[in-house]
Amino acid sequence: MYTGGSYYFCGGDGAVLKNFQTISGKRYYLGTDGIRQTGWIDLGGKRYFGMEDGSLRVNGWLYTGGNYYFCGGDGAVLKNFQTISGKRYYLGTDGIRQRSWIDLNGKKYFGMEDGSLRVNGWLYTGGNYYFCGADGAVLKGFQTVSGKRYYFNAEGIRQSRWITVNGNTYFAMEDGSLRKGWLYADSNNYFCNSAYVVVKGNYAIDGVAYSFDQKGAMIKKSGWGEYKGNKYYFNPATGFPYKNQWVSFGSTQYYANSKGHMVSGFYTIGGKLYYFYPDSKIMARNTTINGYQIGANGVAVPTRMARMYSMAQGYSSTTPYLIMVDRASHKVGVFKGGKGLWNNLYYWDCADGAPSTPTVGGIFKVGMKGYYFDSGSARCFWYTQFYGNYLFHTVLCYKDGSIMDGRVGMALSHGCVRLQIPNAKWIYDNIPKGTTVVVY
């Protein structure tokens, strides 16, 4: 009903409706006198807006007076922080949607062109980079973003290049991330530790001792250096140790690994095996080590002993000892240690079984022992059983203990393994029952 310049709505009984009403699917406010309201309506601390047709704006954006507002399900204008259609907004204390910088309770936010706050992402504005967190607030101080470390100042601006915080120095790369590890900047080398701090003074990196000045610039060294058993040689041109290359002083040669440490022990270079003395790190020449024949060029060539040593590593024993018998080369090897860690103690000549009476092959255990047994006119001393009638014992002797047949280094026996007298006695005295014996 329109009368007296105002609109009213009469109900089913003819009475004029008042206050909030829903009519034909639209919401209205009819006042306390039944008059349909338009424009701004302030009621109970809330604000509503009546459109030209008098219906309240609900569940949607409202643009009026040069500002954006959002009206909720009851038509009331929303205020403060709100999430609308998956986006976050700040609507102020008066319901006005805010844009650009917003300072609130010590935090900074940024409203984009559509009024939504930037969240969980980088923001570039005014020539600076910022990062806005899940709530839209700009991050400050040290922060980790997508696995990289950054520093944002008190205004939230991402810092670059040299940064000093609480007396510590940091360096931010072109993308703003803090550097960790070696850094080359301003014609100097620096090192940033695991906390991204530029180190100063003496500092060990990968087992190499470096020195840095008061600003963190590396002080170049030259010549030999040593740190906790690692030996290295500084390149005077760079101040870094030589790495992955030969280091030679006349005929004396060393090899520096990927960390710059001079290698020791057996080491493969370019597909060839070399040996470097553990104490001096110098490459060996013209010698035999652990069964490897090492030539004038330092290349180590495996011998029968090296093959035995390699095979031994695959066996275990219930005692700290292992005995290997190589029938082809007529050798006995005595090892001490454990599986994969056997060290060769002795490598002796022996006389194993003749072709007509070969020594049994296989894996056996040490059994009984004895002082001697007689075989015809011969006597064998210090015997140690490893399988049935197969024994380690001395070469053939006369009954008085003098040697009858002292030959070793050939296939000669009736199947036992003959050894020179001191060697047979050593096994008798030192090898426990149950020790593994491998005959191949």
Side-chain angles (χ1 to χ4, degrees), residues 74-90:
D74 64 351
V77 170
L78 303 184
K79 301 176 184 179
N80 301 314
F81 289 104
Q82 301 289 339
T83 298
I84 301 167
S85 300
K87 293 185 178 182
R88 188 164 172 82
Y89 299 85
Y90 180 68

Side-chain angles (χ1 to χ4, degrees), residues 189-208:
N189 288 293
Y190 302 82
F191 188 82
C192 305
N193 65 20
S194 59
Y196 304 90
V197 176
V198 173
V199 302
K200 300 171 185 177
N202 295 323
Y203 196 83
I205 302 163
D206 286 336
V208 175

Side-chain angles (χ1 to χ4, degrees), residues 156-284:
I157 297 171
R158 187 183 76 187
Q159 303 298 287
S160 60
R161 287 191 61 79
W162 296 108
I163 303 164
T164 301
V165 181
N166 296 327
N168 291 323
T169 304
Y170 305 82
F171 189 88
M173 309 297 286
E174 287 187 11
D175 67 352
S177 63
L178 299 183
R179 181 66 176 159
K180 184 165 66 173
W182 283 106
L183 163 70
Y184 183 77
D186 303 333
S187 302
N188 288 302
N189 288 293
Y190 302 82
F191 188 82
C192 305
N193 65 20
S194 59
Y196 304 90
V197 176
V198 173
V199 302
K200 300 171 185 177
N202 295 323
Y203 196 83
I205 302 163
D206 286 336
V208 175
Y210 295 87
S211 295
F212 301 86
D213 67 18
Q214 292 182 345
K215 292 185 178 180
M218 186 185 79
I219 300 169
K220 286 185 180 180
K221 295 181 179 180
S222 62
W224 287 108
E226 189 166 346
Y227 180 78
K228 292 188 175 180
N230 299 320
K231 191 173 183 179
Y232 38 86
Y233 194 88
F234 288 106
N235 181 339
T238 65
F240 289 98
Y242 290 105
K243 296 181 180 180
N244 294 318
Q245 67 181 91
W246 289 98
V247 180
S248 302
F249 300 91
S251 61
T252 302
Q253 289 187 286
Y254 306 82
Y255 189 83
N257 66 15
S258 60
K259 293 183 178 180
H261 306 165
M262 299 302 167
V263 301
S264 63
F266 284 103
Y267 199 84
T268 301
I269 304 166
K272 295 180 179 179
L273 187 65
Y274 298 83
Y275 184 83
F276 300 83
Y277 293 106
D279 52 350
S280 66
K281 317 298 183 188
I282 295 173
M283 183 189 78

Side-chain angles (χ1 to χ4, degrees), residues 57-71:
R57 185 73 172 113
V58 295
N59 284 326
W61 288 104
L62 165 68
Y63 182 75
T64 183
N67 293 310
Y68 282 93
Y69 305 80
F70 192 87
C71 302

